[in-house]
Amino acid sequence: MQSELMALMMSGDSGISAFPEEDNILCWKGTITGSKDTVFEGTEYKLSLIFPNEYPFKAPKVKFDTTCFHPNVDMHGNICLDILQDKWSSAYDVRTILLSIQSLLGGNFES
């Protein structure tokens, strides 16, 4: 988890960030910013990321703490995204998760 934190901090991706909560490396708070030219532009969304002990072999539980009106986000902030469910791969990391959620909100990205 420490290496993921360093990789995320060094990535230089705009509009995404995440850090562990206080003493628990398995509980993170993340933020994504709505992408330009979308209805979400300029809005900062807070997320909770809870990593299981089996991570990276099991997907983290990710949900919006900020209200987000989107067809793939329910009223409790739960996100319907295949890579967080049946399409999870241990190749994914925190950066991939945040970029995927940002993309879900209508963003276009260059890698």
Short mmCIF file of all heavy atoms in Angstrom, two decimals, residues 15 18 26 29 51 64 74 82 84 105:
data_model
loop_
_atom_site.label_atom_id
_atom_site.label_comp_id
_atom_site.label_asym_id
_atom_site.label_seq_id
_atom_site.Cartn_x
_atom_site.Cartn_y
_atom_site.Cartn_z
N GLY A 15 -6.52 16.02 -11.02
CA GLY A 15 -7.90 15.75 -10.64
C GLY A 15 -8.13 14.49 -9.84
O GLY A 15 -9.27 14.14 -9.58
N ALA A 18 -5.45 10.51 -3.33
CA ALA A 18 -5.91 9.60 -2.27
C ALA A 18 -4.80 9.43 -1.25
O ALA A 18 -3.61 9.41 -1.60
CB ALA A 18 -6.31 8.24 -2.84
N LEU A 26 -5.38 0.53 5.40
CA LEU A 26 -6.41 -0.12 4.58
C LEU A 26 -7.64 0.76 4.35
O LEU A 26 -8.54 0.38 3.61
CB LEU A 26 -6.84 -1.45 5.21
CG LEU A 26 -5.75 -2.52 5.31
CD1 LEU A 26 -6.29 -3.77 6.00
CD2 LEU A 26 -5.18 -2.86 3.94
N LYS A 29 -8.99 7.93 1.96
CA LYS A 29 -9.91 8.96 1.48
C LYS A 29 -9.35 9.44 0.15
O LYS A 29 -8.17 9.74 0.04
CB LYS A 29 -10.00 10.13 2.47
CG LYS A 29 -10.73 9.79 3.74
CD LYS A 29 -12.19 9.49 3.48
CE LYS A 29 -12.95 9.19 4.74
NZ LYS A 29 -14.31 8.76 4.49
N PHE A 51 -9.80 -1.22 1.73
CA PHE A 51 -9.08 -2.33 1.12
C PHE A 51 -9.16 -3.57 1.99
O PHE A 51 -8.89 -3.51 3.19
CB PHE A 51 -7.60 -1.94 0.92
CG PHE A 51 -7.42 -0.79 -0.02
CD1 PHE A 51 -7.42 0.52 0.44
CD2 PHE A 51 -7.27 -1.01 -1.37
CE1 PHE A 51 -7.27 1.59 -0.42
CE2 PHE A 51 -7.12 0.05 -2.26
CZ PHE A 51 -7.12 1.35 -1.78
N PHE A 64 -18.79 6.90 -3.05
CA PHE A 64 -18.78 8.35 -2.98
C PHE A 64 -19.23 8.78 -1.59
O PHE A 64 -20.25 8.32 -1.09
CB PHE A 64 -19.75 8.95 -4.01
CG PHE A 64 -19.18 9.05 -5.39
CD1 PHE A 64 -19.35 8.03 -6.31
CD2 PHE A 64 -18.48 10.19 -5.79
CE1 PHE A 64 -18.84 8.12 -7.59
CE2 PHE A 64 -17.97 10.29 -7.07
CZ PHE A 64 -18.13 9.26 -7.98
N ASP A 74 -25.49 4.87 -6.80
CA ASP A 74 -26.79 4.85 -6.12
C ASP A 74 -26.86 5.93 -5.04
O ASP A 74 -25.89 6.66 -4.80
CB ASP A 74 -27.11 3.45 -5.57
CG ASP A 74 -26.30 3.04 -4.35
OD1 ASP A 74 -25.64 3.89 -3.72
OD2 ASP A 74 -26.34 1.84 -4.01
N ASP A 82 -17.52 -2.16 -13.41
CA ASP A 82 -17.09 -3.56 -13.55
C ASP A 82 -15.74 -3.87 -12.92
O ASP A 82 -15.56 -4.92 -12.34
CB ASP A 82 -17.13 -4.00 -15.01
CG ASP A 82 -16.24 -3.18 -15.93
OD1 ASP A 82 -15.65 -2.17 -15.48
OD2 ASP A 82 -16.14 -3.54 -17.12
N LEU A 84 -14.55 -2.81 -10.28
CA LEU A 84 -14.68 -2.91 -8.82
C LEU A 84 -15.49 -4.13 -8.42
O LEU A 84 -15.70 -4.38 -7.24
CB LEU A 84 -15.35 -1.65 -8.26
CG LEU A 84 -14.55 -0.36 -8.40
CD1 LEU A 84 -15.36 0.82 -7.90
CD2 LEU A 84 -13.21 -0.46 -7.68
N LEU A 105 -17.47 9.34 -15.00
CA LEU A 105 -18.21 10.60 -14.94
C LEU A 105 -18.10 11.41 -16.23
O LEU A 105 -18.51 12.55 -16.29
CB LEU A 105 -17.72 11.46 -13.77
CG LEU A 105 -17.91 10.87 -12.38
CD1 LEU A 105 -17.44 11.85 -11.32
CD2 LEU A 105 -19.34 10.46 -12.13
#
